[in-house]
Amino acid sequence: MTQPRSRGRAALRHLAAPTLALAVVATLSPASRPAPGPAGDQTAGLTPVSVSYAAPSGGEVKGNFLSYNDFHGAIDPPGGSGAAVNGTPAGGVEYLATWLKKLRAEAKAEGRSTTTVGAGDLIGATPLVSAAFHDEPTIELMDEIGLDVSSVGNHEFDEGVDELIRINKGGCHPVDGCQDGDGFAGAKFTYLAANTVSRKTGLPILPPVDVRFVGGVPVGFVGVTLEGTPGIVNPAGIASVRFTDEVATANKWGGLLKLFGVKAMVLLVHEGGAQSPPPATPGVSDCANFSGPIVDIVRGLRPEFGLVVSGHTHRFYSCSLPNSSGAPSVVTSAGNNGQLITDVDYSLDRRTGRFTGITARNVVVENGVRNPDGTWQQSAPGTYVRNPDLVDPGAKALADKYRAAVAPIANRVVGRISADIVRDARPSGESPLGDVIADAQLAYTRSNGAQIALMNPGGIRASLPYAASAGGEAPGEVTYGEAFTVQPFNNLVVTQTLTGAQLRNVLEQQFVGFKGQTTQRILQVSAGLTYSYDSTAPAGSRVSALAFDGAPVDPAASYRVTTNDFLANGGDGFTELQAGTARTTAPGFDVDALIAYLGAGAPVAPGPADRITRLG
């Protein structure tokens, strides 16, 4: 537990700036992003980060932000290797609610009003308890625990733009209706999407900005997702929108806020960075050897953006990074799955309306019970005992409603495994679970002539632990809920014909610089396909020794290749897969392929992770 502090609360009220902003957006010309800085930018570790600006000239107002990001519908405490943060068991919505209330109470005792904010991916890639109801449970729980405003992230678009609008506004699902029987009112908190622009209207599909008053001083929020969202969501669902540059968008709307007298601003951005060793285990509030896209984003921002709440990378950090004026902005991220809360104290100059100081630290959302020696109690190896004293009753009651509704489906045993099957990648980029999923999709589509299957690593959201028993199942038994947590996207499984030359191009497109690829992503491959790669070789010539069933792949021959429809439609930058012909679609979804494989016979063993060889 953290040491208590004294704090207080001031009233918050909305300013109708978004409506006025839309009316005059044409008066602003977007700023451009500056050229990236030198490679290898590093920022010294700070624990916690603290930045001071000009001394107040007209009295000071104190405030507090609490933030989190990448919640991904993690209503239940994470399990397996993700159950702990730096050794501390953490997460679960009823525990997140308790820690938010605790930190708000501490803020109130210090005379600080609290605004709770998010940086996207609240929904999407969610466990079955949320996904079975199209993530309505997560939205209702975000309202229950007091979220005020959040940016969208790429996963908010997993079911397309129209579904995101429904999630925001409310109403029953157009196909499945209101499954819980009591309707769906939509989000009470404010979703911001400044850089998600309708191709028809030229305006953001959701509000671009929000304004809250703290002791009479306005604080503005701009919310954006990463510009690269189109490359990592299914293209079919976002055809009606375009995603604009994060810096240009933030500065445009920040300029508008300034015209309305807002001088203290917060950017909620679903893009981030990461700490790198050493130290071997960076602290949750450190900024050790920091790098990532957020560095250049902050470098281009107006200096009014004193705080940048980031996400997407699922990492934790609190940093001080230079903005366009060279002055520092505080940049934070709270990991993922509701396991951390960033606690930000700030002060404002009552006369100028500007930030005078910002301090940020990450707080672990502890959910365990300590032993006298300081270790954590476990009911079985790797399974932590939850602390009932840290449960928020309101959040638990709402979560339990959906847990009970989904339990008959989630707890159904669908197959068996012989040991932990992890998604952790080997040095080659291949993982044991990636092998299993590719093999499952190949087996599922043999009737369509499939010979090879490819799986995107980002679609594998969790490992399969042998000893986990969320529904009381025996060790090694896998439930539907566990399988769905691994593959929660409900992608279709498609098979198409590629030539050997096209297959090679697909594999070359795993690497930056080939056919527009901007991010290295190593596809998981089914049994029978082998190859080597050298990531240091020139683009287009990195793949070698490409073979199928032991024979070199013939560039002119045809091969039937299975992927999910996300990849087949060009997701993750794999546009070469769009060249396939004779496409067929299997019944059901990708999770059905995995379930069929896990339940087909003897317990499934971890994949060998030896099909891909890295040479450099």
Side-chain angles (χ1 to χ4, degrees):
M1 301 285 285
T2 56
Q3 293 298 315
R5 327 178 268 180
S6 29
R7 292 182 171 179
R9 181 189 321 209
L12 293 176
R13 56 189 174 92
H14 284 282
L15 177 69
T19 304
L20 296 172
L22 288 171
V24 298
V25 64
T27 66
L28 293 171
S29 57
S32 59
R33 182 194 297 256
D41 280 1
Q42 295 183 345
T43 303
L46 299 168
T47 312
V49 63
S50 184
V51 171
S52 296
Y53 301 104
S57 59
E60 203 168 36
V61 174
K62 294 181 179 181
N64 172 250
F65 300 119
L66 299 177
S67 66
Y68 52 91
N69 49 275
D70 298 273
F71 182 71
H72 288 295
I75 292 171
D76 296 325
S81 60
V85 176
N86 284 8
T88 300
V93 72
E94 56 261 67
Y95 303 97
L96 176 62
T98 293
W99 283 89
L100 287 170
K101 286 182 177 179
K102 174 184 181 297
L103 293 171
R104 289 178 190 132
E106 293 175 3
K108 181 178 181 180
E110 277 189 4
R112 298 180 184 273
S113 63
T114 294
T115 308
T116 304
V117 302
D121 278 10
L122 304 177
I123 60 174
T126 54
L128 189 63
V129 66
S130 183
F133 306 96
H134 297 282
D135 285 330
E136 294 171 14
T138 294
I139 296 300
E140 293 179 1
L141 280 160
M142 294 300 96
D143 289 333
E144 169 69 25
I145 67 177
L147 182 64
D148 293 307
V149 58
S150 177
S151 70
V152 297
N154 56 286
H155 281 287
E156 265 79 10
F157 297 92
D158 281 351
E159 293 192 49
V161 171
D162 291 344
E163 174 64 0
L164 173 59
I165 298 299
R166 183 191 74 86
I167 282 290
N168 183 60
K169 291 184 176 180
C172 297
H173 189 271
V175 175
D176 295 329
C178 287
Q179 296 166 281
D180 64 354
D182 61 4
F184 176 61
K188 296 178 184 177
F189 65 88
T190 303
Y191 252 139
L192 301 181
N195 69 332
T196 307
V197 178
S198 167
R199 294 185 184 276
K200 182 178 180 179
T201 67
L203 297 173
I205 62 168
L206 293 172
V209 301
D210 193 19
V211 177
R212 307 277 166 143
F213 281 88
V214 181
V217 179
V219 177
F221 301 86
V222 178
V224 298
T225 185
L226 71 156
E227 185 183 7
T229 291
I232 51 178
V233 301
N234 199 318
I238 57 169
S240 64
V241 298
R242 58 187 175 87
F243 295 85
T244 59
D245 180 85
E246 304 97 328
V247 172
T249 302
N251 285 342
K252 178 179 73 174
W253 291 103
L256 187 66
L257 287 170
K258 189 173 181 180
L259 284 178
F260 282 103
V262 180
K263 306 295 180 59
M265 302 178 198
V266 178
L267 179 63
L268 308 175
V269 53
H270 192 70
E271 182 60 289
Q275 303 185 69
S276 299
T281 304
V284 296
S285 297
D286 290 354
C287 189
N289 302 300
F290 188 79
S291 63
I294 197 65
V295 176
D296 284 332
I297 290 174
V298 175
R299 185 182 286 118
L301 291 178
R302 307 174 62 100
E304 290 86 1
F305 286 105
L307 175 64
V308 177
V309 179
S310 67
H312 188 55
T313 57
H314 290 199
R315 305 298 180 90
F316 43 69
Y317 47 82
S318 63
C319 298
S320 170
L321 300 177
N323 57 45
S324 64
S325 71
S329 292
V330 171
V331 182
T332 68
S333 176
N336 66 320
N337 289 339
Q339 293 183 299
L340 292 165
I341 300 166
T342 306
D343 184 16
V344 182
D345 285 343
Y346 65 94
S347 54
L348 300 165
D349 188 317
R350 190 180 295 277
R351 185 182 68 83
T352 67
R354 300 182 183 276
F355 285 117
T356 58
I358 303 174
T359 299
R361 61 173 183 144
N362 280 328
V363 177
V364 179
V365 179
E366 296 178 9
N367 62 25
V369 178
R370 284 192 184 273
N371 293 310
D373 63 359
T375 60
W376 297 96
Q377 290 184 24
Q378 300 183 47
S379 58
T383 303
Y384 293 98
V385 175
R386 309 299 180 192
N387 190 341
D389 294 335
L390 294 176
V391 170
D392 178 77
K396 184 179 187 303
L398 182 53
D400 281 350
K401 165 190 166 182
Y402 290 105
R403 288 168 178 150
V406 81
I409 301 171
N411 296 335
R412 177 170 58 91
V413 174
V414 296
R416 296 179 295 162
I417 57 178
S418 63
D420 289 346
I421 306 181
V422 301
R423 67 169 183 159
D424 305 73
R426 304 284 170 81
S428 66
E430 187 178 359
S431 74
L433 185 52
D435 284 358
V436 168
I437 291 173
D439 290 347
Q441 293 188 1
L442 177 60
Y444 196 65
T445 53
R446 285 286 192 189
S447 61
N448 290 331
Q451 300 165 280
I452 296 165
L454 307 173
M455 176 63 192
N456 55 308
I460 307 171
R461 305 302 295 186
S463 299
L464 279 176
Y466 179 82
S469 184
E473 70 277 10
E477 291 184 330
V478 179
T479 64
Y480 183 89
E482 290 171 331
F484 191 90
T485 299
V486 171
Q487 288 190 274
F489 294 108
N490 277 342
N491 288 317
L492 301 175
V493 183
V494 301
T495 305
Q496 55 188 338
T497 300
L498 299 175
T499 66
Q502 290 171 324
L503 176 61
R504 179 179 288 275
N505 279 348
V506 169
L507 297 177
E508 290 285 358
Q509 206 168 28
Q510 297 174 114
F511 307 102
V512 175
F514 184 76
K515 301 284 187 175
Q517 183 60 272
T518 59
T519 303
Q520 179 170 307
R521 296 181 176 92
I522 302 301
L523 296 172
Q524 310 299 289
V525 302
S526 58
L529 187 69
T530 58
Y531 71 93
S532 301
Y533 72 86
D534 184 348
S535 61
T536 67
S541 61
R542 290 165 177 158
V543 174
S544 60
L546 177 59
F548 174 63
D549 283 346
V553 167
D554 181 351
S558 294
Y559 299 87
R560 293 287 284 168
V561 179
T562 292
T563 67
N564 57 46
D565 66 328
F566 166 74
L567 280 176
N569 292 336
D572 274 352
F574 286 97
T575 55
E576 289 297 295
L577 280 167
Q578 294 174 301
T581 59
R583 181 182 293 195
T584 59
T585 302
F589 300 107
D590 50 1
V591 69
D592 297 312
L594 178 60
I595 287 168
Y597 192 73
L598 294 173
V604 173
D610 62 357
R611 301 164 185 174
I612 303 171
T613 301
R614 178 178 178 178
L615 302 176

